[in-house]
């Protein structure tokens, strides 16, 4: 993605027919409880996860590294009402669910790339989440992209990011008033109180006081507006003019209206620590086996990601399973193992 944006359709997204008989996926979700029908926890409605399982792209015996059994028969039963209503097969319904979910994600990816003037074909599409690798090739194809990335620990990438992200606190306080009436001393007293609160929170986590830095900012808007713009706080500067300049740059115009001060904000943070994934080494041996996947004329190879070696090349169609996710390497795609364990996908 050209920018720091992301979009996804969860594995629990529910499939249904709308009033016109068209297949829809989401935004309703089975959530974690009861979850997809194949979880065996009481869910009865068809989800994206059930569709991937029916198609064979998600393997009942390899889910969570074999730590959780999936019920394929329950997934089939969940899809059968849709198949009957659409007068087609369960496999065809499953393919339709995946296609609709992929189109939702592709549409959002176009919004954050093409509609912002960026050509996605110049980038590598990165996926994350337990099912991200099941959809990444199809999404790249939809956008005309030739490269994709399934990162190491992709199924828990958000959690990993939280662990390695710089520690920070964002604090704010509402101070709604006309900017011309605001007193610098009163605002700075509010800034100092918020900064003290943030510093205490970080120090309670073991952060050294000398490492902590703070930035002050304010939210401003023209009177009558619903949305505000954030500006760094610099005492002694003409904040009204600075706001007008930022507003004009953002929206193309300025207004002859009073400016309101909405919030004061303080960010306290510590510098990021140097962190790097270790060199990838396979943790198990697995020669793989061949499994049946809907839509493929022949059985496809299935490999454990933990057994792959640096530089190894997997030709699609193929499945790569691991403890926290599954990757579907589609026809005409290859996956090469990066030195840090990432899967670098290329379209042939």
């Amino acid at each position: 993605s050209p920018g720091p944006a992301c979009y996804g359709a969860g594995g629990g997204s529910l499939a249904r027919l709308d009033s016109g008989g068209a297949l829809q996926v989401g935004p309703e979700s089975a959530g974690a409880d009861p979850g997809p029908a194949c979880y065996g926890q009481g869910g009865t409605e068809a989800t994206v996860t059930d569709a991937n399982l029916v198609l064979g792209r998600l393997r009942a015996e390899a889910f969570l590294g074999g730590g959780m059994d999936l019920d394929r028969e329950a997934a089939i039963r969940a899809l059968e009402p849709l198949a009957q209503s659409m007068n087609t097969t369960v496999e065809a319904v499953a393919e339709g669910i995946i296609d609709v979910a992929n189109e939702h994600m592709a549409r959002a990816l176009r919004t954050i790339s093409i509609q912002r003037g960026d050509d996605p074909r110049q980038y590598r599409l990165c996926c994350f989440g337990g099912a991200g690798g099941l959809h990444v090739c199809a999404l790249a194809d939809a956008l005309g992209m030739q490269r994709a990335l399934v990162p190491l620990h992709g199924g828990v990438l958000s959690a990993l990011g939280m662990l390695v992200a710089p520690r920070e606190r964002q604090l704010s306080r509402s101070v709604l008033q006309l900017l011309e009436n605001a007193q610098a001393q009163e605002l700075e007293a509010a800034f100092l109180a918020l900064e003290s609160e943030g510093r205490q929170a970080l120090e309670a986590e073991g952060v050294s006081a000398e490492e902590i830095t703070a930035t002050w900012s304010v939210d401003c808007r023209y009177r009558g507006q619903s949305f505000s713009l954030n500006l760094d706080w610099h005492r002694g500067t003409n904040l009204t003019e600075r706001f007008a300049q930022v507003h004009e740059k953002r929206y193309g115009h300025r207004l002859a209206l009073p400016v309101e001060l909405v919030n004061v904000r303080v960010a306290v943070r510590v510098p990021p620590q140097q962190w790097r994934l270790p060199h990838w080494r396979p943790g198990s041996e697995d020669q793989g086996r061949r499994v049946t996947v809907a839509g493929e004329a022949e059985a496809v190879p299935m490999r454990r990601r933990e057994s792959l070696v640096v530089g190894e090349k997997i030709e699609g169609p193929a499945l790569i399973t691991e403890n926290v996710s599954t990757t579907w390497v589609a026809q005409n795609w290859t996956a090469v193992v990066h030195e840090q364990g990432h899967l670098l996908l290329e379209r042939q």
Side-chain angles (χ1 to χ4, degrees):
S1 167
C6 58
Y7 184 83
S13 295
L14 294 172
R16 58 181 173 80
L17 298 182
D18 64 16
S19 58
L23 183 63
Q24 301 291 335
V25 178
E28 297 84 0
S29 174
D33 185 12
C38 63
Y39 281 10
Q41 296 178 349
T44 59
E45 298 181 85
T47 68
V48 173
T49 296
D50 295 311
N52 274 314
L53 180 61
V54 167
L55 293 175
R57 298 180 184 181
L58 193 62
R59 308 305 300 183
E61 70 279 12
F63 193 70
L64 294 181
M68 177 179 175
D69 292 329
L70 297 182
D71 189 342
R72 188 172 186 274
E73 293 303 316
I76 292 174
R77 289 195 298 271
L79 269 64
E80 281 177 342
L82 292 174
Q84 293 173 4
S85 298
M86 298 172 67
N87 193 28
T88 188
T89 65
V90 168
E91 288 76 11
V93 169
E95 290 177 354
I97 291 172
I98 300 304
D99 289 343
V100 172
N102 285 342
E103 180 54 32
H104 285 329
M105 290 186 279
R107 188 183 309 159
L109 288 169
R110 295 186 188 101
T111 298
I112 65 172
S113 58
I114 297 172
Q115 293 184 21
R116 293 181 180 178
D118 289 297
D119 185 351
R121 294 174 298 181
Q122 300 177 13
Y123 299 89
R124 184 183 293 272
L125 181 62
C126 179
C127 71
F128 61 95
L134 289 170
H135 299 262
V136 68
C137 289
L139 294 175
D141 283 336
L143 295 165
M145 301 174 72
Q146 305 295 311
R147 301 175 298 159
L149 166 68
V150 183
L152 182 66
H153 308 311
V156 291
L157 193 65
S158 295
L160 178 61
M162 289 181 65
L163 290 174
V164 302
R167 297 190 184 188
E168 182 174 329
R169 289 292 188 279
Q170 299 275 353
L171 304 99
S172 66
R173 178 177 298 173
S174 176
V175 290
L176 186 60
Q177 58 184 293
L178 288 177
L179 185 57
E180 63 184 15
N181 296 333
Q183 299 296 316
Q185 290 183 339
E186 294 179 1
L187 296 180
E188 291 183 354
F191 282 129
L192 288 170
L194 292 174
E195 180 177 335
S196 177
E197 181 181 344
R199 286 179 174 274
Q200 290 176 18
L202 290 180
E203 289 175 19
E205 296 180 0
V207 175
S208 171
E210 292 74 20
E211 296 182 276
I212 301 174
T213 60
T215 56
W216 296 357
S217 64
V218 292
D219 294 338
C220 297
R221 67 187 181 192
Y222 284 122
R223 186 169 62 185
Q225 288 184 322
S226 300
F227 301 98
S228 59
L229 296 174
N230 184 258
L231 305 172
D232 290 337
W233 170 261
H234 299 294
R235 187 173 186 178
T237 62
N238 188 334
L239 198 57
T240 300
E241 176 59 24
R242 286 177 53 211
F243 171 78
Q245 293 173 357
V246 173
H247 189 280
E248 187 172 19
K249 183 177 180 180
R250 175 73 61 87
Y251 300 111
H253 64 277
R254 60 175 69 193
L255 301 173
L257 292 173
V259 177
E260 287 183 331
L261 181 62
V262 184
N263 303 303
V264 294
R265 297 184 180 275
V266 172
V268 291
R269 57 177 65 91
V270 295
Q273 296 181 348
Q274 295 297 319
W275 185 86
R276 182 178 175 84
L277 286 169
H279 191 83
W280 172 255
R281 290 182 175 81
S284 63
E285 294 184 3
D286 174 32
Q287 298 303 314
R289 59 191 181 90
R290 303 187 76 85
V291 296
T292 301
V293 175
E296 301 299 330
E298 300 179 355
V300 304
M302 183 174 77
R303 298 287 306 278
R304 286 284 298 167
R305 185 168 180 171
E306 292 82 2
S307 71
L308 303 179
V309 299
V310 173
E312 187 169 355
K313 186 176 183 179
I314 308 296
E315 302 275 355
L319 277 171
I320 301 175
T321 66
E322 57 180 302
N323 289 344
V324 294
S325 66
T326 301
T327 300
W328 170 242
V329 185
Q331 183 76 38
N332 299 322
W333 283 82
T334 61
V336 176
V337 182
H338 182 264
E339 64 179 12
Q340 291 180 325
H342 312 303
L343 296 177
L344 304 180
L345 277 60
E346 304 277 345
R347 181 170 176 79
Q348 303 305 303

